[in-house]
Amino acid sequence: MTSSAPTPLPADAIQRILFIASTVHIYNIPPLTSNKGYTASTWTADDNKRQIFTGRLRVIETAVPLPKDAGESLSTEILLEDPSTGELFAKAPYTDAGAVEAVLDSSRFFAIRVVGDGGMKATLGIGFEERGEAIDFGICLQESRKVLGLETPSEKKSAAKAKAEAEVKKDYGLKEGQTIVVDIGRKGRRKAGDDDAGAERSGGATTASFSIIPPPESLVNGDGGAMPMLAPPRSAQDVRAEKRRSRGFEPVEKTAAELGFDDGEFGEFQ
């Protein structure tokens, strides 16, 4: 099956490659006889008798700006091409999720609905040589469905659930037993004994202070008072000095002459 050349695009259209596989095997598959789906084992039977072509697969996204700054029109196509010349063998416009169907018995094979000259449609089988390429192909189509608004009901349900979970706000409310005490003061210091009326007469900016949670019982001594502050650890210099004193000697300061240095105008260098 050979398709006509691609339709020329407007000069301001933008195309980008979403996925490319250098080698895919293409099969002329029998009509679907069951509502369950396709099985690739019937395509590859008799030493791949139904294989008709080996080519390159590309998924292309095209964006065409709409007039009057009304956004852009997006479309996605799956192209099957000759790997040597790039000549188009067949194309499959990705207009709905049913344009590509995964088979029941393999993760490397798909049934793809292609469109030929005059709008004629046919279903071909494609098979990837690497399982990783087939997985990437499926992920590419899934992302395209989101962009094009072609998500299946199950995908829409999953997306709605994920969105709802993301919108759940963190609870910043007070837990049981927690309290906040706010003290509204006035500009300047208040003296002991000032009543509220005096504070109102003083005027000025307001400030807020919050109560401090008392320390846990494990940090309070037996008579109800707080545990005393621990002294900071001694420095290594203090420890060495204490050891020298315990051995019965103190460092003796000596003059430069006693240490053998010349105390002349230029020292030792004349």
Side-chain angles (χ1 to χ4, degrees):
M1 177 179 181
T2 302
S3 179
S4 59
T7 304
L9 296 172
D12 54 356
I14 298 176
Q15 283 191 319
R16 65 187 184 114
I17 300 175
L18 304 181
F19 174 81
I20 184 170
S22 58
T23 303
V24 292
H25 302 291
I26 303 170
Y27 301 85
N28 177 18
I29 63 177
L32 186 63
T33 58
S34 171
N35 293 331
K36 294 181 179 180
Y38 293 92
T39 55
S41 59
T42 60
W43 311 347
T44 57
D46 300 329
D47 195 22
N48 286 329
K49 186 177 181 180
R50 287 188 171 273
Q51 182 176 340
I52 57 176
F53 189 67
T54 296
R56 178 181 65 187
L57 182 147
R58 292 194 300 158
V59 180
I60 304 293
E61 180 186 77
T62 303
V64 179
L66 298 176
K68 300 181 181 180
D69 296 329
E72 59 185 10
S73 173
L74 284 176
S75 62
T76 300
E77 284 187 322
I78 303 167
L79 306 180
L80 301 175
E81 303 167 325
D82 186 292
S84 301
T85 64
E87 182 181 358
L88 182 65
F89 175 78
K91 65 179 179 180
Y94 198 59
T95 55
D96 61 84
V100 178
E101 297 184 41
V103 301
L104 301 175
D105 56 346
S106 175
S107 61
R108 295 189 296 113
F109 290 81
F110 299 84
I112 179 172
R113 187 175 63 216
V114 299
V115 178
D117 296 333
M120 296 181 59
K121 298 179 180 180
T123 301
L124 299 177
I126 60 172
F128 293 89
E129 292 189 345
E130 301 293 336
R131 192 179 307 275
E133 284 186 327
I135 293 174
D136 292 341
F137 177 65
I139 294 174
C140 170
L141 296 183
Q142 183 179 9
E143 293 299 321
S144 294
R145 289 195 294 272
K146 291 180 182 179
V147 174
L148 300 173
L150 304 176
E151 294 175 289
T152 62
S154 60
E155 289 174 338
K156 291 181 180 180
K157 184 177 180 180
S158 299
K161 182 179 179 181
K163 183 178 179 181
E165 292 176 352
E167 291 178 351
V168 174
K169 296 181 180 180
K170 187 175 181 180
D171 183 13
Y172 291 99
L174 293 176
K175 305 298 186 293
E176 184 177 357
Q178 290 181 327
T179 59
I180 293 180
V181 178
V182 180
D183 181 16
I184 304 300
R186 294 293 178 179
K187 186 176 180 180
R189 296 183 177 179
R190 294 177 57 185
K191 297 180 180 180
D194 286 350
D195 57 11
D196 293 338
E200 286 292 334
R201 289 192 298 271
S202 64
T206 63
T207 59
S209 60
F210 298 86
S211 62
I212 300 177
I213 301 175
E217 296 182 359
S218 59
L219 298 180
V220 179
N221 58 22
D223 57 0
M227 294 292 289
M229 295 291 292
L230 297 177
R234 294 182 298 169
S235 65
Q237 183 178 1
D238 294 338
V239 174
R240 289 194 296 269
E242 183 177 349
K243 287 184 178 181
R244 287 196 295 269
R245 287 194 296 271
S246 65
R247 295 172 182 171
F249 66 91
E250 292 286 342
V252 178
E253 297 183 1
K254 295 184 179 182
T255 63
E258 292 174 334
L259 295 175
F261 295 101
D262 186 0
D263 197 21
E265 182 179 0
F266 297 103
E268 295 182 283
F269 306 99
Q270 297 185 9

